[in-house]
Structure formats: structure tokens, C-alpha cells
Amino acid sequence: MKRKLIAAIGIAGMMFSVAACGNDDKSGGSDKGADAKELTVWLTVDAQNNWPDLVKQADAAIEAKHSGIKIKHEYYGWPDKNTKLDAVLATDKAPDVVEMGNSEMLGYMVKGAFAPLDASKFENSATWLDGLKESVTYDGKTYGVPYYAGGRVGNWRKDVAASAGVKSTPKTYKELLSDLDKIQKKEGAKFSAWYQPTRDWYAAMSFVYDAGGSIAKEEGGTWKANLSSPESIKGLTEFKNIVDKYMHGDKTKDESDRYIVYGQGKSGMIFGAAWEGATAEDPKSDKTGKLKGNLENFVMPGPSGKNIPVFLGGSDLAVPVKSKAQAVAAEWINAFTGAKGQKGLMAKGNLPNNKADLVSLQSDPKTAVPATAAESSWFVPMAPGWGQVEKAQTLQTMLQAIGTGKKSVADAAKEADAAIDKVINTK
């Protein structure tokens, strides 16, 4: 899934009066809206196009329990969904269930747009994936239910690796660097053994979290930037080492067109979303004519000796606080995301919302790599001002300064911390 972190962006000026709309009522645990006769569910076109049968399955479960209830579905594309949601939340006609990208949740939770839920009422909640669980949690309360997930993996060209004498994907970080050294030597200085865009903070922060660092830490209800900590500096330094040694492209770029660059044939490996390899080998992107069937995913090993923590993307389902059918909405979400629903989603090629179901995917060659990679994940700080941090592109600016050598790791991290601290606690 190609999803950008857009938490809180575009909704800072969304002025709907949610604070006075019964925010203490708890769906998933109360009877508010238990006798509702209508239910409106907003999902993205992913569900409409790829698993409409699972939607009907959830509908049937609710209709069997609530005789005569009418369930209405509306489907939206990712680019325009939040604009429509922001507009309707300012009225008294809010939907009862809405799908959110996991990185979109924070801004809405901060603004009080969603009703708190009782996590214990939902199947699999005890083993929700860490990255998804964090995305629905704010100030100690749960405001959504994880739907499905998408992770990040390593991907390289088997032909390039083989030509350098490398016969299998790396299992340790030491092996990875050794293999990349061989590839870099074989292909020459103009080739990127590892095409790693400098501004790709998803990858950079994986190194930070692998080293025991973090973007920010919460103490006593207050968030403080943590990029200057010894652990974070260690992770950033290793990221710089990778960029310096193996990345020989434009060091001012981000990851948005990485699959296109990969398809041009001047790099041997990438670390990105699981879909990027398949997209690169599509004839529309593959300018070499050699990538189809020649790319291989692998779980990224980290310098710590463990699999590197990856940013875990995905979708959540939430109940707007203005919903008049909160209890039934929670029931529908449970029917859709519970054990039966997860089985159907996995059959469609998705990663499940919980660790228990990941086990079954790890034995299937088609899903083993992303399923294993998703076990270790990180997520953005669930701080009220995180959206402002991202909108300012603070992390990207820091990484570009580090990657281009304009600033030392320590100086760039210190500057980024100062910028983060100015806004991270601001609602």
C-alpha cells in the first residue's frame, strides 16, 4: 500500500463541535444506538473492488441480529476521502463507521472526532499488531479497530546478486553488507547497490528504532524530541553509512518514485513497501526488460541482530462521535474485522490485524516475507502536534542535511529536536 503519513494535515482547521457531543459515551461497551434502524458505513474503494463479499458477510451478521435494519455503504478513493469526511463531521449527518489509514487517525483523535471504544469487545484485540494498535490509541483510550496491515521489506535483483557471486538473500545485517560490497564492486561506482533515498524517513527511523532510539518520548504527559539521544544518533549514523556507501543517486530525493528508479536498472536493491518490487517489474516501469520474475523480497535484518523494525502501514475503522448508532457500528466493525473477516482478508492477499494470524502466513512462500517483517514494527509518536511536525517535513530536512553532508548527524539531529519540541505538544 502506498500511503503517506498525513496525520492531522488538512484537518487542523476542521472546526466541528465534537467536545460537546457526548464524548464520554462509549460505543463497543454502551447501549448508545443499540436500537438504531439505519447504519452508514464509509469504506475505501479497496473493499468495493477487492473484497465486496466480506462486506456483505458483515452486513448479514448485523441484519440477522437487528431485524429490519438498513445498511448503507459509501465508497471513497484515498485522495478525496478526508475532505468529504471533514465536511460531514461538521454536520449532524456523520457516518457510523469510517475507514481511516492508520497514519490518518491521530489528528482526528486529538480533535475528538471519534468515539472511544472498548477494545476488549473486539476479536483479536489482545494480539493486534503493535503498529496498528498504536495508531488507534490516544491518551490511554482506544478510538478505532485495526482492519488490515501492510509492511516494508527488502527487495533485490537476483541476477545482479548472482553475478557478484551471491546466491541467497541475507539472513543477518553482516551478510547484507558483505553482499552489497560484492555487488557494488562488481557493478561499479555509478551503480547503487542499495538505492536508498536520503529523505526516506520511514527507512531512516527503522534504523533509529533498531538502535533503541525514537523520534520522541513521552514523560508525564509531555512529549519531548529524542533524535539527539545516543541511541537515535547511532541509528542515524548507520543510515548515513548506508547512503554514503551504496546510494549513488540524487541525495536530495524522497522515496515517492523509488519503484520507477528501480525499474531503470541502475540499482540492485531497495527497502520499501512490499508492493514496490512488483510495481517496478511491471512492464510500465521496467525499462530493462529483465526484472519480471527476477526480483526477490526478503526480511530486512537490522544492525541490532534482529529483524529491523518497519513502519507498519494499514487501515483502521472508527466510529464518529456524532454517530447515532455507535453500538451497532461497533458490532459491524467486529463482524468485519473479527476472526472470520481476517481469514477472508488474508485470502485476498492482505496481512491480518493481529499477530496470531501472522503465524499461518509465515508458512506460505507468497506471504512469508511481509508476514515475518510485520512482527517487528514502529509507529509515529502519538502526540497532539505530530501532524505539524510532519507538515513541516522536519525529518526529511534533517535527513537531507545528513545525507548530503551539509551537517553532521549530531548537529542535524539537534536542530530537528528543537523544531519538533516547538510544536509536538500543541493541539
Side-chain angles (χ1 to χ4, degrees):
M1 283 173 292
K2 188 178 182 182
R3 296 224 181 103
K4 294 293 184 182
L5 277 177
I6 56 174
I9 298 175
I11 67 170
M14 182 174 61
M15 302 305 291
F16 47 86
S17 56
V18 295
C21 293
N23 205 24
D24 291 331
D25 293 307
K26 293 191 175 183
S27 59
S30 76
D31 293 328
K32 183 173 182 180
D35 58 351
K37 301 302 181 183
E38 295 183 354
L39 188 73
T40 300
V41 178
W42 282 20
L43 299 172
T44 67
V45 291
D46 298 336
Q48 182 182 35
N49 297 334
N50 302 317
W51 46 87
D53 52 322
L54 302 183
V55 176
K56 292 179 181 178
Q57 178 179 288
D59 288 351
I62 299 305
E63 290 166 349
K65 186 175 179 180
H66 299 273
S67 179
I69 192 170
K70 295 182 179 179
I71 303 178
K72 177 183 178 182
H73 293 280
E74 295 185 24
Y75 295 94
Y76 296 94
W78 286 103
D80 61 352
K81 174 181 66 69
N82 287 1
T83 299
K84 295 177 184 291
L85 179 61
D86 295 349
V88 78
L89 286 178
T91 73
D92 60 355
K93 298 180 180 180
D96 303 300
V97 177
V98 61
E99 178 180 349
M100 305 292 295
N102 67 337
S103 59
E104 298 174 336
M105 285 289 294
L106 180 57
Y108 288 85
M109 293 190 294
V110 169
K111 295 292 183 181
F114 299 143
L117 303 171
D118 182 350
S120 68
K121 301 294 185 181
F122 298 91
E123 294 183 53
N124 304 316
S125 61
T127 59
W128 281 343
L129 298 178
D130 294 341
L132 295 184
K133 182 178 181 179
E134 289 180 44
S135 74
V136 299
T137 306
Y138 179 69
D139 199 23
K141 294 182 180 180
T142 300
Y143 290 94
V145 176
Y147 175 9
Y148 64 92
R152 282 167 166 72
V153 299
N155 180 287
W156 74 7
R157 289 181 56 175
K158 292 186 287 186
D159 60 338
V160 171
S163 69
V166 179
K167 299 180 180 180
S168 61
T169 53
K171 300 300 185 290
T172 68
Y173 192 67
K174 183 178 180 180
E175 287 180 10
L176 173 63
L177 298 188
S178 176
D179 293 344
L180 290 172
D181 287 342
K182 294 175 183 176
I183 292 171
Q184 192 65 69
K185 182 177 180 179
K186 175 69 169 56
E187 298 296 329
K190 293 184 178 181
F191 187 85
S192 293
W194 177 348
Y195 179 72
Q196 179 51 65
T198 307
R199 292 171 65 88
D200 176 14
W201 63 278
Y202 301 105
M205 293 305 106
S206 286
F207 280 89
V208 167
Y209 281 89
D210 182 73
S214 61
I215 299 171
K217 297 178 70 174
E218 182 184 19
E219 294 182 6
T222 300
W223 286 86
K224 185 171 179 56
N226 193 49
L227 293 169
S228 294
S229 70
E231 295 83 2
S232 295
I233 291 294
K234 181 179 180 181
L236 288 171
T237 299
E238 186 58 30
F239 179 75
K240 174 176 170 55
N241 291 340
I242 292 298
V243 171
D244 287 348
K245 196 171 186 181
Y246 305 117
M247 164 62 177
H248 301 295
D250 184 349
K251 293 185 179 180
T252 66
K253 294 192 67 173
D254 64 17
E255 73 286 358
S256 60
D257 66 346
R258 173 167 44 210
Y259 69 95
I260 295 176
V261 176
Y262 197 27
Q264 293 172 347
K266 296 181 180 179
S267 52
M269 171 191 154
I270 59 173
F271 170 40
W275 58 266
E276 291 187 56
T279 306
E281 70 176 23
D282 184 285
K284 295 178 182 178
S285 303
D286 181 11
K287 304 305 179 182
T288 70
K290 301 177 181 179
L291 300 187
K292 187 67 174 179
N294 196 29
L295 299 182
E296 185 173 13
N297 283 335
F298 59 92
V299 179
M300 275 291 293
S304 68
K306 301 178 182 179
N307 293 340
I308 201 165
V310 298
F311 174 78
L312 194 63
S315 277
D316 301 320
L317 296 174
V319 179
V321 74
K322 287 191 174 183
S323 164
K324 297 179 177 64
Q326 291 183 21
V328 180
E331 291 176 11
W332 189 93
I333 291 174
N334 196 31
F336 192 52
T337 64
K340 189 174 182 180
Q342 289 301 306
K343 184 176 180 180
L345 285 166
M346 289 189 291
K348 300 292 184 178
N350 298 293
L351 290 182
N353 68 359
N354 65 92
K355 297 175 183 177
D357 281 332
L358 277 178
V359 175
S360 64
L361 296 184
Q362 291 171 354
S363 61
D364 184 342
K366 295 180 180 179
T367 55
V369 170
T372 300
E375 285 186 316
S376 178
S377 62
W378 62 272
F379 199 63
V380 299
M382 298 303 285
W386 173 252
Q388 297 182 59
V389 175
E390 192 190 335
K391 187 174 183 179
Q393 298 193 359
T394 304
L395 297 181
Q396 293 95 319
T397 299
M398 172 190 71
L399 293 172
Q400 182 170 324
I402 291 173
T404 57
K406 290 186 176 180
K407 294 180 181 177
S408 68
V409 171
D411 287 347
K414 183 177 180 180
E415 186 174 302
D417 275 352
I420 291 172
D421 283 338
K422 288 181 179 179
V423 298
I424 197 167
N425 292 293
T426 304
K427 290 186 178 181

